[in-house]
């Protein structure tokens, strides 16, 4: 019932019961991001009930003091936030790889600069890790939020389908991958920006078995 009601007390009780509390690194590449959206994205990580996370923000040379000031404000609020500014615009794949380099987590999650997480998202990821000792790849359902905060266009994804993923990237976000497997796959390909998520999904899932993938 606590899951249905959204009770923080129930969520916190579940967190305390987790035998493993893996460090989850969230990679957030940004480039000339609207600060209102960026604030919502960062706040959604700060508001997680699950506490063992870090947020790795990489600015792909936005060259915008307003963005820098906003991120530095958050740096002063929470030591779990890391920030790297690139000295030239490299593209989203390169910026994401820079975030992976500074990440210390057992699992790496990927967030776009206009994404938001529900406050129990990382708790559910940690629960999956506890219930599936061999898991390497975790993905979630998602929906869209309009500028007034209304949820719309929910996307309830199928479980892992190796045939479907060859024809379309139905995984998208939130996606969390074990860092070791991500490194074994070679990280993101800088020549494939625009379809970089689909590419890394295809390469990572070639290295693991179907039972190591959890929706």
């Amino acid at each position: 019932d606590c899951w249905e009601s959204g009770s923080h007390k129930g969520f916190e009780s579940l967190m305390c019961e987790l035998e493993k509390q893996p460090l989850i690194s969230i990679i957030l590449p940004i480039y000339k991001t609207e600060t209102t959206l960026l604030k919502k994205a960062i706040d959604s990580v700060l508001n997680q009930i699950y506490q063992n996370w870090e947020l790795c923000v990489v600015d792909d040379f936005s060259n915008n003091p307003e963005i820098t000031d906003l991120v530095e404000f958050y740096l002063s609020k929470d030591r779990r936030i890391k920030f790297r500014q690139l000295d030239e615009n490299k593209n989203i794949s390169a910026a994401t790889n820079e975030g992976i380099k500074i990440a210390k987590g057992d699992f790496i999650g990927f967030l776009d600069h206009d994404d938001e997480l529900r406050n129990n998202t990382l708790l559910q990821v940690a629960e999956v890790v506890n219930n599936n000792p061999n898991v390497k790849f975790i993905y979630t359902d998602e929906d869209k939020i309009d500028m007034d905060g209304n949820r719309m266009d929910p996307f309830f994804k199928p479980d892992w389908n190796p045939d479907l993923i060859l024809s379309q990237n139905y995984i998208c976000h939130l996606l969390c991958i074990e860092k070791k497997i991500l490194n074994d796959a070679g990280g993101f390909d800088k020549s494939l920006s625009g379809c970089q998520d689909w590419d890394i999904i295809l390469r990572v899932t070639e290295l693991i078995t179907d039972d190591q993938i959890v929706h």
Side-chain angles (χ1 to χ4, degrees):
D1 289 341
C2 67
W3 283 94
E4 293 300 323
S5 67
S7 163
H8 277 218
K9 183 177 180 181
F11 290 143
E12 290 166 357
S13 175
L14 174 62
M15 184 172 65
C16 293
E17 293 171 2
L18 295 177
E19 182 178 345
K20 299 177 183 177
Q21 295 199 10
L23 176 61
I24 302 172
S25 299
I26 301 296
I27 311 300
L28 177 58
I30 61 177
Y31 177 66
K32 297 186 176 180
T33 306
E34 187 178 322
T35 54
T36 301
L37 296 177
L38 180 57
K39 185 177 186 301
K40 288 182 177 181
I42 296 175
D43 283 342
S44 78
V45 179
L46 285 171
N47 291 334
Q48 290 299 300
I49 297 165
Y50 185 75
Q51 294 294 298
N52 198 21
W53 55 262
E54 64 176 6
L55 176 63
C56 303
V57 183
V58 180
D59 184 358
D60 192 19
F61 198 63
S62 297
N63 198 25
N64 183 336
E66 189 176 358
I67 291 175
T68 302
D69 290 346
L70 178 63
V71 178
E72 289 183 345
F73 165 75
Y74 280 106
L75 286 174
S76 69
K77 286 184 61 175
D78 199 306
R79 60 181 177 79
R80 294 172 294 180
I81 298 176
K82 300 177 178 178
F83 185 35
R84 176 167 291 183
Q85 286 183 294
L86 304 187
D87 55 10
E88 61 177 327
N89 179 248
K90 295 184 176 181
N91 75 29
I92 189 171
S93 295
T96 301
N97 284 336
E98 289 298 320
I100 294 169
K101 287 179 184 178
I102 62 175
K104 302 296 183 182
D106 307 290
F107 281 82
I108 307 294
F110 304 99
L111 204 65
D112 280 343
H113 60 187
D114 55 355
D115 284 345
E116 295 179 50
L117 301 178
R118 292 185 65 182
N119 63 3
N120 65 334
T121 299
L122 297 186
L123 178 60
Q124 292 191 65
V125 171
E127 186 183 23
V128 167
V129 173
N130 276 263
N131 293 337
N132 303 269
N134 294 321
V135 69
K136 310 290 185 186
F137 186 105
I138 302 164
Y139 67 98
T140 73
D141 294 334
E142 62 182 283
D143 58 7
K144 295 181 175 63
I145 305 175
D146 67 20
M147 295 306 293
D148 295 320
N150 300 308
R151 293 182 178 276
M152 53 191 290
D153 294 336
F155 183 16
F156 300 107
K157 302 169 187 176
D159 287 342
W160 174 243
N161 185 327
D163 295 320
L164 182 60
I165 197 63
L166 293 176
S167 63
Q168 61 178 282
N169 176 15
Y170 71 88
I171 300 293
C172 227
H173 292 168
L174 177 72
L175 170 63
C176 293
I177 301 174
E178 184 190 58
K179 186 177 183 183
K180 180 183 182 303
I181 292 296
L182 186 61
N183 287 335
D184 288 347
F188 285 75
D189 188 332
K190 292 182 287 187
S191 70
L192 293 176
S193 288
C195 60
Q196 72 281 349
D197 290 341
W198 193 6
D199 171 66
I200 196 66
I201 289 166
L202 292 172
R203 286 189 285 115
V204 165
T205 54
E206 285 182 346
L207 302 178
I208 59 181
T209 56
D210 289 358
D211 64 336
Q212 294 174 316
I213 301 170
V214 175
H215 167 215

